[in-house]
Amino acid sequence: MYSIILPTYNEKENLPLIYYLIQDTFQKANISSYEVVIVDDSSPDGTLGVAQKLQSIYGDDRIQILSRKGKLGLGTAYVAGLKVSKGSRIILMDADLSHHPKFIPEMIRVMD
């Protein structure tokens, strides 16, 4: 299984798009064993609510949510995500689309 750790802070607008791109990338690569771990740092824009809506649509086996109190930072968000990830392979991404999911298959080829 692959775990994609996705820290968020004020990513209400980007979260549905990045999730769609991740899901589309895995479907096109014919990989069904993955999860997205969303680590939210109390985003004031409602990112957590969007994450919960996505989880209700796609399931908690596909989307894990870790909600943290306060803005604790990107590095610690990745560490927190690593602690709850179920995958044997980990992919770190940013929810702001600075890391495009289209490169995931290449990362997987390098890992494997």
Side-chain angles (χ1 to χ4, degrees), residues 39-91:
V39 183
D40 186 63
D41 276 4
S42 299
S43 297
D45 74 339
T47 298
L48 179 60
V50 172
Q52 291 168 333
K53 178 71 173 177
L54 289 169
Q55 186 182 51
S56 73
I57 294 168
Y58 297 103
D60 58 4
D61 59 324
R62 185 67 74 201
I63 299 176
Q64 278 197 69
I65 300 171
L66 182 57
S67 179
R68 304 190 313 160
K69 301 274 188 232
K71 190 174 180 185
L72 303 175
L74 183 63
T76 60
Y78 285 130
V79 171
L82 284 167
K83 290 179 181 178
V84 300
S85 295
K86 298 176 190 154
S88 59
R89 301 281 198 210
I90 307 294
I91 298 169

Side-chain angles (χ1 to χ4, degrees), residues 13 18 23 39 51 63 80 99:
E13 300 298 322
I18 191 73
Q23 178 186 22
V39 183
I63 299 176
H99 303 145

Side-chain angles (χ1 to χ4, degrees), residues 18-35:
I18 191 73
Y19 183 78
Y20 167 78
L21 291 171
I22 290 168
Q23 178 186 22
D24 187 58
T25 298
F26 275 90
Q27 282 180 338
K28 286 179 179 173
N30 201 28
I31 300 170
S32 61
S33 184
Y34 71 94
E35 65 174 353

